[in-house]
């Protein structure tokens, strides 16, 4: 099966590694061409010079970019995807995108006889490397079955969420819940630290009780209390995802004051801490507002 993969970022690159092996024949393209060239040199994949070149002859084109708008911008022009994709091909968009743009992309591609699935992923860099991602699919079930051999190469769980846009919506709400639990845990630990409770002790109790979450069990012990803040998922991307989730609630006219507030808080943290900050670094802003450190003395930098 001839496959094209566009977008060799932190998640996309290890996903593409799994597709560089038989039974797939892989072409890769990246906006920073040197990344695609290096990938091709390491794996034997074909380095495509344009999106159209990557898509030419490919049964399935996979995109994994920061936003749906980035994907949309690749469609047009002499070098665009539409110039290279053939009738009967499938665009599998693993971008954590927004439902409205995905529906627009699907409609445009359908006019050319090209299928579309929104297929955002969860599991982080480690999940991508291990081939254990969760994929949330929006689109026709028949198209999912066509894509399943490819998805099986990098995913441990494939969930059909509904029609086009449903995968994007589920991914956005999932990340909004991450933001809510992370922010609430940070505020709670800041309050307890101010009251003289060691944050490590507080987490020991919380994680044996009803207040536990992924944030309290994993993110704070492994990344916050030690001040490590590894760069695994940019705060800017969490800002985008939580904003999408808040937008979905507004579009559906569902009262969601907590999601709206989370969107505002993450946006403030993003603007305060910059484009390169990791998502857990939002705790730095909570500390600043509370005038207290929930990190140990060795991690005050």
């Amino acid at each position: 099966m001839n496959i094209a993969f566009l977008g060799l970022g932190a998640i996309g690159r290890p996903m593409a590694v799994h597709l560089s092996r038989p039974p797939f024949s892989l072409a890769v393209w990246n906006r920073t061409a040197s990344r695609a060239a290096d990938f091709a040199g390491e794996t034997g994949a074909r380095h495509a010079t344009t999106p159209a070149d990557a898509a030419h002859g490919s049964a399935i084109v996979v995109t994994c970019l920061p936003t749906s708008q980035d994907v949309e911008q690749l469609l047009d022009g002499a070098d665009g995807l539409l110039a290279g994709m053939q009738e009967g091909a499938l665009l599998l968009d693993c971008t954590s995108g927004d439902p409205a743009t995905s529906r627009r992309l699907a409609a445009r591609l359908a006019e050319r006889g090209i299928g579309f699935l929104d297929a955002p992923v969860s599991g982080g860099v480690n999940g991508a490397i291990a081939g254990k991602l969760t994929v949330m699919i929006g689109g026709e079930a028949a198209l999912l079955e066509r894509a399943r051999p490819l998805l099986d190469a990098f995913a441990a769980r494939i969930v059909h969420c509904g029609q086009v846009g449903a995968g994007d919506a589920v991914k956005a709400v999932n990340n909004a819940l991450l933001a809510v639990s992370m922010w609430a845990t940070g505020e709670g630990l800041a309050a307890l630290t101010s009251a003289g409770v060691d944050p490590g002790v507080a987490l020991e109790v919380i994680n044996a009780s009803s207040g536990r979450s992924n944030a309290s069990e994993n993110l704070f012990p492994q990344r916050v209390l030690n001040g490590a803040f590894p760069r695994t998922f940019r705060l800017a991307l969490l800002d985008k995802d939580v904003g999408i989730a808040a937008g979905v609630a507004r579009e559906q006219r569902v009262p969601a004051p907590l999601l709206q507030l989370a969107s505002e808080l993450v946006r403030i943290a993003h603007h305060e801490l910059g484009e390169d900050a990791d998502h857990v670094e939002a705790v730095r802003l909570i500390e600043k507002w509370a005038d207290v450190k929930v990190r140990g003395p060795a991690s005050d930098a």
Side-chain angles (χ1 to χ4, degrees):
M1 183 186 294
N2 291 332
I3 303 294
F5 200 104
L6 291 78
L8 300 173
I11 298 291
R13 191 184 192 284
M15 291 169 62
V17 167
H18 295 290
L19 299 176
S20 66
R21 304 163 182 152
F24 307 109
S25 178
L26 183 66
V28 293
W29 178 88
N30 195 72
R31 287 181 293 189
T32 302
S34 59
R35 290 187 182 179
D38 291 344
F39 182 93
E42 293 170 13
T43 65
R46 180 173 69 85
H47 175 203
T49 57
T50 66
D53 179 28
H56 183 72
S58 295
I60 300 178
V61 174
V62 184
T63 46
C64 189
L65 298 171
T67 70
S68 292
Q69 288 70 34
D70 292 322
V71 177
E72 192 168 35
Q73 289 171 7
L74 296 184
L75 292 187
D76 297 312
D79 294 333
L81 285 175
L82 290 178
M85 294 186 76
Q86 301 169 348
E87 183 177 354
L90 169 64
L91 178 59
L92 180 74
D93 185 21
C94 293
T95 302
S96 293
D98 68 271
T101 305
S102 286
R103 289 192 290 267
R104 187 165 62 243
L105 286 167
R108 288 196 61 192
L109 292 166
E111 293 174 355
R112 304 287 190 97
I114 299 169
F116 177 88
L117 294 172
D118 52 293
V121 302
S122 180
V125 174
N126 289 337
I129 293 171
K132 301 295 185 182
L133 293 171
T134 295
V135 187
M136 293 145 271
I137 300 289
E140 296 178 11
L143 293 177
L144 168 56
E145 292 311 307
R146 279 181 53 194
R148 193 173 291 276
L150 179 153
L151 294 166
D152 284 338
F154 57 72
R157 182 179 298 239
I158 303 163
V159 183
H160 188 202
C161 299
Q163 293 304 306
V164 170
D168 289 334
V170 172
K171 175 62 188 290
V173 169
N174 175 74
N175 280 9
L177 298 180
L178 161 66
V180 168
S181 62
M182 182 180 70
W183 200 281
T185 302
E187 288 187 352
L189 290 181
L192 289 172
T193 302
S194 294
V197 179
D198 182 279
V201 172
L203 282 177
E204 183 179 352
V205 174
I206 290 166
N207 288 332
S209 306
S210 57
R212 66 188 181 277
S213 66
N214 178 60
S216 69
E217 290 185 318
N218 296 305
L219 297 183
F220 276 76
Q222 298 171 16
R223 305 182 185 188
V224 176
L225 295 193
N226 58 9
F229 296 122
R231 302 298 171 88
T232 61
F233 177 49
R234 288 195 298 125
L235 181 61
L237 295 177
L238 182 62
D239 179 12
K240 180 258 297 181
D241 291 342
V242 184
I244 291 171
V248 168
R250 289 193 300 271
E251 181 182 352
Q252 301 303 319
R253 298 187 178 183
V254 172
L258 190 55
L259 292 184
Q260 306 300 332
L261 177 59
S263 177
E264 290 301 316
L265 291 170
V266 174
R267 183 170 294 112
I268 291 168
H270 170 198
H271 291 164
E272 180 86 8
L273 299 171
E275 293 299 313
D276 294 330
D278 187 77
H279 68 299
V280 297
E281 290 186 80
V283 177
R284 295 184 188 272
L285 186 58
I286 296 171
E287 291 178 322
K288 179 180 177 181
W289 289 351
D291 193 25
V292 68
K293 285 280 196 295
V294 300
R295 293 167 283 158
S299 60
D300 286 344

